[in-house]
Amino acid sequence: MCESDLHRTVSVVTYNTSEFRKGLKVQIDGEPYLMIECNFVKPGKGQGLYKCKLRHLIRNIVIDRTYRSGDTLEAADVEEVDAQFLYRQGDQFIFMNAETYEQYELSADVLDENWKYLKEGMLCQVLLFNNMPIGITPPNHVVLRVEYCEPSARGNTATNVTKPCKVETGAEFMVPAFIEIGDLIKIDTRSGEYVERVKE
């Protein structure tokens, strides 16, 4: 391997403004961001501008940045791995890499709303930044058992009347009035909304 090849293997991947797009994971000042919006603006004179919104992958804050044509951003060393949710210990949630069996520990703060959907044994995607776990993506839909809700009114089958219910994960969701304790309900993890009652 010649010296130039060696240099290339350790060089950092960068994105030029022409490659900017929604969904890109980049690094700014050593921190990982997800590009959630990118709009090209062409002023009357001068260079085109790229107005971007970026969400911090750890702290969830959104920043606005404007770049000129030809600017570059470093790619974030981010990867998603399949991992199984093992158990919860206080405010810590333990996952295991499905391939390497390495374990990851994430706090409830880092998981944000996603802790609500976690059942033991569930497969998720764990987001790693520099091999450190910084977040998870649960499956799009989960089926959870209702542990408590107010009794349904007799004969009330209306779907537009809702009530809160507590499920096996300890989370609360709004469900139709006809849902009862012990029912299995399907929840959309992207919106946190009830989808349907599931037969056992």
Side-chain angles (χ1 to χ4, degrees):
M1 187 185 280
C2 70
E3 203 171 309
S4 62
D5 285 343
L6 191 65
H7 178 69
R8 236 195 325 270
T9 57
V10 295
S11 66
V12 176
V13 177
T14 57
Y15 296 114
N16 190 292
T17 45
S18 63
E19 300 172 285
F20 284 8
R21 65 182 189 282
K22 186 179 174 181
L24 217 56
K25 295 183 177 83
V26 297
Q27 196 164 301
I28 302 170
D29 302 327
E31 306 262 312
Y33 286 84
L34 176 71
M35 196 171 284
I36 54 176
E37 206 176 289
C38 182
N39 296 305
F40 178 68
V41 182
K42 186 82 173 97
K45 289 178 181 171
Q47 283 183 306
L49 299 173
Y50 293 80
K51 292 185 175 291
C52 303
K53 279 190 189 297
L54 300 125
R55 181 166 60 80
H56 198 290
L57 283 170
I58 302 172
R59 294 198 296 274
N60 252 351
I61 53 170
V62 175
I63 62 169
D64 291 295
R65 285 278 195 278
T66 301
Y67 298 96
R68 295 182 184 281
S69 288
D71 283 352
T72 58
L73 280 174
E74 272 186 30
D77 182 12
V78 171
E79 65 169 327
E80 282 192 310
V81 297
D82 289 330
Q84 188 177 35
F85 172 56
L86 296 181
Y87 59 91
R88 176 180 183 171
Q89 197 167 17
D91 273 348
Q92 297 298 315
F93 293 76
I94 317 301
F95 296 82
M96 182 177 70
N97 187 310
E99 281 188 15
T100 65
Y101 303 113
E102 185 182 349
Q103 291 193 5
Y104 310 116
E105 206 170 295
L106 289 100
S107 68
D109 286 348
V110 171
L111 291 178
D112 200 26
E113 297 281 292
N114 285 325
W115 69 268
K116 295 179 174 183
Y117 312 115
L118 294 175
K119 286 168 65 173
E120 289 184 9
M122 178 185 281
L123 264 183
C124 302
Q125 296 245 290
V126 172
L127 187 63
L128 303 176
F129 174 61
N130 291 337
N131 292 319
M132 290 285 293
I134 60 170
I136 70 150
T137 306
N140 289 342
H141 296 98
V142 294
V143 175
L144 301 168
R145 188 174 295 280
V146 175
E147 292 210 326
Y148 180 78
C149 62
E150 293 295 327
S152 54
R154 282 183 70 84
N156 187 352
T157 56
T159 52
N160 58 346
V161 180
T162 60
K163 64 183 179 184
C165 80
K166 192 171 184 178
V167 297
E168 59 189 292
T169 60
E172 276 198 1
F173 296 101
M174 295 303 292
V175 295
F178 59 79
I179 294 295
E180 296 177 347
I181 293 172
D183 282 351
L184 291 174
I185 57 171
K186 183 187 277 189
I187 299 289
D188 188 324
T189 63
R190 295 159 297 185
S191 63
E193 290 177 0
Y194 166 90
V195 179
E196 62 184 355
R197 181 162 56 179
V198 178
K199 287 190 168 67
E200 295 205 45

